[in-house]
Amino acid sequence: ASPRKFFVGGNWKMNGDKAAIDGIISFMKTGPLSPNTEVVVGCPQCYLMYTREHMPANIGIAAQNCYKVAKGAFTGEISPAMVKDCGCEWVILGHSERRNVFGEPDQLISEKVGHALEAGLKVIPCIGEKLEDREGNRTQEVVFAQMKALLPNISDWSRVVLAYEPVWAIGTGKTASPEQAQEVHADLRQWLRDNVNAEVAESTRIIYGGSVSAGNCQELAKKGDIDGFLVGGAALKPDFVQIINARG
Ligand code: PEP
């Protein structure tokens, strides 16, 4: 058995209203959810308080982004302190949509991760290669470069869950095969061993994201270095419960 608790995050992205969130909360309450899985849902910032107040307490709530400083003249941004003040403990940072739609570079994401950890949040940093990187055999090079950028700002690995999300698999219905995902997860764990230490490599959850569904989650969950999932589209549907229970 893995020493790492299975972890399933949902990423609602820019979807839902209060009525839709009520629906999600209802199927989450019905479950039943495996007690062996840690569950967190990432919700739009304007619904953080609403979701925290209505979602069962054993389910963590994440913001989908936040800025790299505590407060100030940064119109439109929110800080980790505000996320905490809304009763939430988590933030997703560096999602591929933040990187590729909003142009967030590695250095900014790294600074955001650093500040969120300093402010006491738990963080889900996301990394992953584009299709052209994979086709050019540069997957390892790309994800290692993303890790190298994050490293100087990670002060506490016990509050980090690393998400590997190949960009070509996000929202496309194309999933990495269990073998493809396992290969990158094993490479990332080796990178942690080489660049941080063995203890961090063994204890850090590395979760897979990219078109995870009720149909493919069990095969992916069998792989030794896949410690859970980050789920987009399927996190809005009752299928999310099956994904939470993928490892039983
Ligand atoms: C995501 O948003 O992180 C994601 C993996 O989306 P999807 O599951 O829809 O591919």
Side-chain angles (χ1 to χ4, degrees), residues 11 13 95 97 165 169-172 209-212 230-233:
N11 175 18
K13 315 196 190 203
H95 188 275
E97 288 145 24
E165 301 204 298
I170 299 178
T172 57
S211 299
V212 174
L230 187 56
V231 183

Side-chain angles (χ1 to χ4, degrees), residues 7-11 38-42 92 124 207 228-232 235 240:
F7 183 102
V8 174
N11 175 18
E38 182 172 4
V39 183
V40 171
V41 294
I92 299 168
I124 305 170
I207 62 175
F229 304 116
L230 187 56
V231 183
F240 191 50

Side-chain angles (χ1 to χ4, degrees), residues 38-237:
E38 182 172 4
V39 183
V40 171
V41 294
C43 86
Q45 61 196 52
C46 58
Y47 296 122
L48 285 171
M49 282 177 73
Y50 183 83
T51 305
R52 181 61 290 163
E53 279 165 19
H54 294 88
M55 190 68 90
N58 61 340
I59 293 167
I61 310 292
Q64 298 173 9
N65 184 26
C66 65
Y67 198 50
K68 63 175 180 176
V69 295
K71 64 183 170 68
F74 303 102
T75 302
E77 296 294 309
I78 63 168
S79 71
M82 293 171 180
V83 175
K84 274 178 74 176
D85 196 39
C86 290
C88 304
E89 298 185 306
W90 287 89
V91 64
I92 299 168
L93 288 169
H95 188 275
S96 81
E97 288 145 24
R98 297 307 315 173
R99 292 176 184 268
N100 299 313
V101 182
F102 300 99
E104 293 192 10
D106 276 337
Q107 180 58 27
L108 173 62
I109 294 162
S110 180
E111 289 171 24
K112 288 181 173 195
V113 170
H115 177 63
L117 288 170
E118 264 171 33
L121 289 182
K122 296 182 263 196
V123 181
I124 305 170
C126 306
I127 60 169
E129 83 286 2
K130 294 182 183 170
L131 185 60
E132 70 239 38
D133 302 322
R134 177 159 285 267
E135 288 177 342
N137 285 318
R138 289 186 303 273
T139 297
Q140 196 188 70
E141 182 189 318
V142 167
V143 297
F144 284 5
Q146 291 168 329
M147 291 299 290
K148 191 176 173 199
L150 289 171
L151 186 61
N153 283 307
I154 300 189
S155 49
D156 180 359
W157 281 94
S158 74
R159 285 188 286 121
V160 172
V161 173
L162 183 64
Y164 167 60
E165 301 204 298
V167 178
W168 49 271
I170 299 178
T172 57
K174 278 192 213 164
T175 321
S177 68
E179 292 69 31
Q180 283 175 317
Q182 165 61 26
E183 184 183 15
V184 180
H185 284 230
D187 286 349
L188 289 168
R189 205 174 303 287
Q190 185 60 44
W191 190 94
L192 290 174
R193 227 171 259 126
D194 295 342
N195 293 277
V196 188
N197 60 53
E199 198 277 322
V200 163
E202 288 316 306
S203 58
T204 302
R205 272 88 55 94
I206 306 176
I207 62 175
Y208 168 79
S211 299
V212 174
S213 69
N216 62 28
C217 63
Q218 290 191 4
E219 288 305 309
L220 286 159
K222 281 183 192 155
K223 295 294 182 187
D225 289 294
I226 300 181
D227 304 312
F229 304 116
L230 187 56
V231 183
L236 301 166
K237 304 186 288 186

